[in-house]
Amino acid sequence: DKVVHVYNICDGNKLMELTHPNFVDHVSCSSNNLIATWSNISNDRSIQFWDNDKKLGKFNGVENNIESITFNKYGTRILMLCMNGALYVLSVNEMPEFNILHKFEASLYVKCCAFSGDSRLIAFGTYYGKVFFFDADTYTEVRRINYPSPVPIIYSITFDPTSQFIAIGKGDYA
């Protein structure tokens, strides 16, 4: 469907409908009620941003379909993971203007990503069994976890709210 439906979970009432130009198969919401919609099956390489029922802007210009979007704690930055493994850090402070703050190259083969609970770290897992931790302001690597052979794919990662722990979902190649 091209429409995203937003509901109040307390009473079940529909609050709004957000119309995207293409089929929407992904939605993400920030802590400050910013909603992002995109599609990776319709070759849509853009993200629509909404605040309540008002469209705030559209981000275009990535070289591959978008796999996932993760907001930081404050809703001011996003991690945008492309299906080719490239990972972008975007500032969404000045809607409708977007700034690419940093790009981690596709050669890193990123599979999943997350901001720490305090938004000070960016972590990402790879197709070749590594989890990298970067400072979210300087983009310098601060830590790395390497899994031994056989090399697993890191499918998912998430921090606890205190940023002291990370859960890593991994699996072997099929």
Side-chain angles (χ1 to χ4, degrees):
D1 197 355
K2 294 181 178 184
V3 178
V4 174
H5 306 271
V6 180
Y7 289 88
N8 180 323
I9 60 170
C10 295
D11 60 19
N13 290 325
K14 186 186 298 186
L15 299 175
M16 66 186 101
E17 291 184 348
L18 310 174
T19 304
H20 192 88
N22 295 304
F23 179 85
V24 174
D25 60 350
H26 288 80
V27 176
S28 185
C29 190
S30 72
S31 61
N32 58 352
N33 297 322
L34 185 64
I35 298 172
T37 62
W38 72 99
S39 173
N40 67 16
I41 62 172
S42 64
N43 286 327
D44 180 8
R45 296 177 181 177
S46 67
I47 312 163
Q48 308 282 328
F49 288 94
W50 310 83
D51 182 10
N52 297 321
D53 60 351
K54 183 176 112 185
K55 184 175 173 183
L56 296 175
K58 177 179 179 179
F59 177 79
N60 291 309
V62 293
E63 74 274 6
N64 208 287
N65 291 0
I66 300 164
E67 174 76 22
S68 69
I69 290 178
T70 304
F71 285 94
N72 71 353
K73 172 182 177 177
Y74 309 105
T76 56
R77 289 185 180 182
I78 62 171
L79 298 175
M80 179 179 63
L81 177 59
C82 293
M83 293 185 79
N84 68 345
L87 177 63
Y88 291 85
V89 182
L90 298 175
S91 170
V92 293
N93 278 339
E94 306 296 326
M95 294 275 193
E97 299 297 320
F98 303 91
N99 294 319
I100 297 175
L101 301 175
H102 192 76
K103 178 184 176 188
F104 296 97
E105 292 300 327
S107 61
L108 291 171
Y109 300 105
V110 177
K111 172 66 177 155
C112 57
C113 56
F115 278 106
S116 61
D118 59 10
S119 296
R120 292 175 45 198
L121 291 176
I122 294 169
F124 58 82
T126 67
Y127 280 95
Y128 57 92
K130 295 185 186 322
V131 178
F132 294 91
F133 298 85
F134 284 81
D135 181 285
D137 291 323
T138 64
Y139 310 108
T140 55
E141 185 177 345
V142 295
R143 188 167 294 109
R144 182 184 304 191
I145 297 172
N146 296 310
Y147 282 94
S149 293
V151 177
I153 298 172
I154 308 299
Y155 284 101
S156 112
I157 55 176
T158 187
F159 285 89
D160 79 307
T162 68
S163 303
Q164 292 181 332
F165 305 100
I166 189 167
I168 301 170
K170 66 180 186 64
D172 295 331
Y173 289 106

PDB file of all heavy atoms in Angstrom, residues 82-97:
ATOM      1  N   CYS A  82      21.849   1.083   3.449  1.00  0.00           N
ATOM      2  CA  CYS A  82      21.443   0.719   2.088  1.00  0.00           C
ATOM      3  C   CYS A  82      21.662  -0.774   1.873  1.00  0.00           C
ATOM      4  O   CYS A  82      22.478  -1.405   2.538  1.00  0.00           O
ATOM      5  CB  CYS A  82      22.236   1.520   1.065  1.00  0.00           C
ATOM      6  SG  CYS A  82      21.847   3.270   1.114  1.00  0.00           S
ATOM      7  N   MET A  83      20.937  -1.323   0.908  1.00  0.00           N
ATOM      8  CA  MET A  83      21.003  -2.768   0.666  1.00  0.00           C
ATOM      9  C   MET A  83      22.367  -3.228   0.161  1.00  0.00           C
ATOM     10  O   MET A  83      22.695  -4.408   0.256  1.00  0.00           O
ATOM     11  CB  MET A  83      19.890  -3.187  -0.279  1.00  0.00           C
ATOM     12  CG  MET A  83      18.527  -3.028   0.380  1.00  0.00           C
ATOM     13  SD  MET A  83      17.183  -3.642  -0.603  1.00  0.00           S
ATOM     14  CE  MET A  83      17.338  -5.381  -0.276  1.00  0.00           C
ATOM     15  N   ASN A  84      23.198  -2.316  -0.341  1.00  0.00           N
ATOM     16  CA  ASN A  84      24.542  -2.694  -0.782  1.00  0.00           C
ATOM     17  C   ASN A  84      25.555  -2.672   0.365  1.00  0.00           C
ATOM     18  O   ASN A  84      26.736  -2.912   0.152  1.00  0.00           O
ATOM     19  CB  ASN A  84      25.015  -1.792  -1.916  1.00  0.00           C
ATOM     20  CG  ASN A  84      25.271  -0.370  -1.478  1.00  0.00           C
ATOM     21  OD1 ASN A  84      24.852   0.053  -0.393  1.00  0.00           O
ATOM     22  ND2 ASN A  84      25.945   0.393  -2.316  1.00  0.00           N
ATOM     23  N   GLY A  85      25.106  -2.346   1.588  1.00  0.00           N
ATOM     24  CA  GLY A  85      25.990  -2.337   2.744  1.00  0.00           C
ATOM     25  C   GLY A  85      26.539  -0.980   3.119  1.00  0.00           C
ATOM     26  O   GLY A  85      27.223  -0.851   4.127  1.00  0.00           O
ATOM     27  N   ALA A  86      26.262   0.057   2.331  1.00  0.00           N
ATOM     28  CA  ALA A  86      26.700   1.412   2.701  1.00  0.00           C
ATOM     29  C   ALA A  86      25.838   1.913   3.856  1.00  0.00           C
ATOM     30  O   ALA A  86      24.640   1.639   3.920  1.00  0.00           O
ATOM     31  CB  ALA A  86      26.587   2.356   1.512  1.00  0.00           C
ATOM     32  N   LEU A  87      26.443   2.642   4.774  1.00  0.00           N
ATOM     33  CA  LEU A  87      25.737   3.192   5.933  1.00  0.00           C
ATOM     34  C   LEU A  87      25.975   4.687   5.983  1.00  0.00           C
ATOM     35  O   LEU A  87      27.119   5.141   5.999  1.00  0.00           O
ATOM     36  CB  LEU A  87      26.235   2.527   7.221  1.00  0.00           C
ATOM     37  CG  LEU A  87      25.649   3.036   8.527  1.00  0.00           C
ATOM     38  CD1 LEU A  87      24.150   2.778   8.591  1.00  0.00           C
ATOM     39  CD2 LEU A  87      26.360   2.386   9.710  1.00  0.00           C
ATOM     40  N   TYR A  88      24.894   5.457   5.994  1.00  0.00           N
ATOM     41  CA  TYR A  88      24.964   6.915   6.056  1.00  0.00           C
ATOM     42  C   TYR A  88      24.512   7.395   7.426  1.00  0.00           C
ATOM     43  O   TYR A  88      23.607   6.814   8.025  1.00  0.00           O
ATOM     44  CB  TYR A  88      24.021   7.545   5.035  1.00  0.00           C
ATOM     45  CG  TYR A  88      24.408   7.354   3.597  1.00  0.00           C
ATOM     46  CD1 TYR A  88      24.059   6.208   2.901  1.00  0.00           C
ATOM     47  CD2 TYR A  88      25.106   8.351   2.922  1.00  0.00           C
ATOM     48  CE1 TYR A  88      24.402   6.038   1.574  1.00  0.00           C
ATOM     49  CE2 TYR A  88      25.443   8.189   1.594  1.00  0.00           C
ATOM     50  CZ  TYR A  88      25.089   7.036   0.923  1.00  0.00           C
ATOM     51  OH  TYR A  88      25.428   6.882  -0.393  1.00  0.00           O
ATOM     52  N   VAL A  89      25.123   8.483   7.889  1.00  0.00           N
ATOM     53  CA  VAL A  89      24.640   9.207   9.057  1.00  0.00           C
ATOM     54  C   VAL A  89      24.097  10.529   8.523  1.00  0.00           C
ATOM     55  O   VAL A  89      24.826  11.286   7.873  1.00  0.00           O
ATOM     56  CB  VAL A  89      25.759   9.472  10.088  1.00  0.00           C
ATOM     57  CG1 VAL A  89      25.198  10.176  11.308  1.00  0.00           C
ATOM     58  CG2 VAL A  89      26.466   8.174  10.470  1.00  0.00           C
ATOM     59  N   LEU A  90      22.814  10.781   8.775  1.00  0.00           N
ATOM     60  CA  LEU A  90      22.167  11.999   8.282  1.00  0.00           C
ATOM     61  C   LEU A  90      21.712  12.862   9.445  1.00  0.00           C
ATOM     62  O   LEU A  90      21.237  12.353  10.459  1.00  0.00           O
ATOM     63  CB  LEU A  90      20.917  11.663   7.456  1.00  0.00           C
ATOM     64  CG  LEU A  90      21.089  10.856   6.192  1.00  0.00           C
ATOM     65  CD1 LEU A  90      19.725  10.528   5.603  1.00  0.00           C
ATOM     66  CD2 LEU A  90      21.905  11.631   5.193  1.00  0.00           C
ATOM     67  N   SER A  91      21.818  14.169   9.271  1.00  0.00           N
ATOM     68  CA  SER A  91      21.228  15.114  10.204  1.00  0.00           C
ATOM     69  C   SER A  91      19.850  15.479   9.686  1.00  0.00           C
ATOM     70  O   SER A  91      19.690  15.812   8.511  1.00  0.00           O
ATOM     71  CB  SER A  91      22.093  16.376  10.297  1.00  0.00           C
ATOM     72  OG  SER A  91      21.401  17.374  11.018  1.00  0.00           O
ATOM     73  N   VAL A  92      18.860  15.409  10.555  1.00  0.00           N
ATOM     74  CA  VAL A  92      17.501  15.799  10.178  1.00  0.00           C
ATOM     75  C   VAL A  92      17.038  16.990  11.010  1.00  0.00           C
ATOM     76  O   VAL A  92      15.857  17.219  11.182  1.00  0.00           O
ATOM     77  CB  VAL A  92      16.514  14.611  10.294  1.00  0.00           C
ATOM     78  CG1 VAL A  92      16.839  13.555   9.262  1.00  0.00           C
ATOM     79  CG2 VAL A  92      16.508  14.019  11.684  1.00  0.00           C
ATOM     80  N   ASN A  93      17.977  17.787  11.479  1.00  0.00           N
ATOM     81  CA  ASN A  93      17.670  18.957  12.307  1.00  0.00           C
ATOM     82  C   ASN A  93      16.986  20.072  11.539  1.00  0.00           C
ATOM     83  O   ASN A  93      16.148  20.776  12.079  1.00  0.00           O
ATOM     84  CB  ASN A  93      18.946  19.533  12.928  1.00  0.00           C
ATOM     85  CG  ASN A  93      19.358  18.792  14.163  1.00  0.00           C
ATOM     86  OD1 ASN A  93      18.545  18.118  14.776  1.00  0.00           O
ATOM     87  ND2 ASN A  93      20.618  18.897  14.519  1.00  0.00           N
ATOM     88  N   GLU A  94      17.376  20.292  10.310  1.00  0.00           N
ATOM     89  CA  GLU A  94      16.940  21.459   9.552  1.00  0.00           C
ATOM     90  C   GLU A  94      15.985  21.079   8.422  1.00  0.00           C
ATOM     91  O   GLU A  94      16.208  21.405   7.277  1.00  0.00           O
ATOM     92  CB  GLU A  94      18.163  22.189   8.977  1.00  0.00           C
ATOM     93  CG  GLU A  94      19.205  22.564   9.992  1.00  0.00           C
ATOM     94  CD  GLU A  94      18.707  23.558  11.011  1.00  0.00           C
ATOM     95  OE1 GLU A  94      17.879  24.421  10.662  1.00  0.00           O
ATOM     96  OE2 GLU A  94      19.145  23.458  12.173  1.00  0.00           O
ATOM     97  N   MET A  95      14.906  20.385   8.738  1.00  0.00           N
ATOM     98  CA  MET A  95      13.951  19.990   7.706  1.00  0.00           C
ATOM     99  C   MET A  95      13.471  21.207   6.952  1.00  0.00           C
ATOM    100  O   MET A  95      13.226  22.222   7.574  1.00  0.00           O
ATOM    101  CB  MET A  95      12.742  19.297   8.338  1.00  0.00           C
ATOM    102  CG  MET A  95      13.089  17.998   8.959  1.00  0.00           C
ATOM    103  SD  MET A  95      13.068  16.729   7.730  1.00  0.00           S
ATOM    104  CE  MET A  95      13.126  15.324   8.767  1.00  0.00           C
ATOM    105  N   PRO A  96      13.310  21.183   5.652  1.00  0.00           N
ATOM    106  CA  PRO A  96      13.436  20.025   4.782  1.00  0.00           C
ATOM    107  C   PRO A  96      14.851  19.797   4.262  1.00  0.00           C
ATOM    108  O   PRO A  96      15.038  19.010   3.353  1.00  0.00           O
ATOM    109  CB  PRO A  96      12.496  20.363   3.632  1.00  0.00           C
ATOM    110  CG  PRO A  96      12.570  21.838   3.515  1.00  0.00           C
ATOM    111  CD  PRO A  96      12.769  22.334   4.934  1.00  0.00           C
ATOM    112  N   GLU A  97      15.855  20.471   4.807  1.00  0.00           N
ATOM    113  CA  GLU A  97      17.247  20.250   4.391  1.00  0.00           C
ATOM    114  C   GLU A  97      17.823  19.071   5.162  1.00  0.00           C
ATOM    115  O   GLU A  97      17.565  18.893   6.343  1.00  0.00           O
ATOM    116  CB  GLU A  97      18.091  21.492   4.676  1.00  0.00           C
ATOM    117  CG  GLU A  97      17.631  22.729   3.945  1.00  0.00           C
ATOM    118  CD  GLU A  97      17.721  22.585   2.446  1.00  0.00           C
ATOM    119  OE1 GLU A  97      18.713  22.009   1.962  1.00  0.00           O
ATOM    120  OE2 GLU A  97      16.788  23.022   1.760  1.00  0.00           O
TER     121      GLU A  97
END
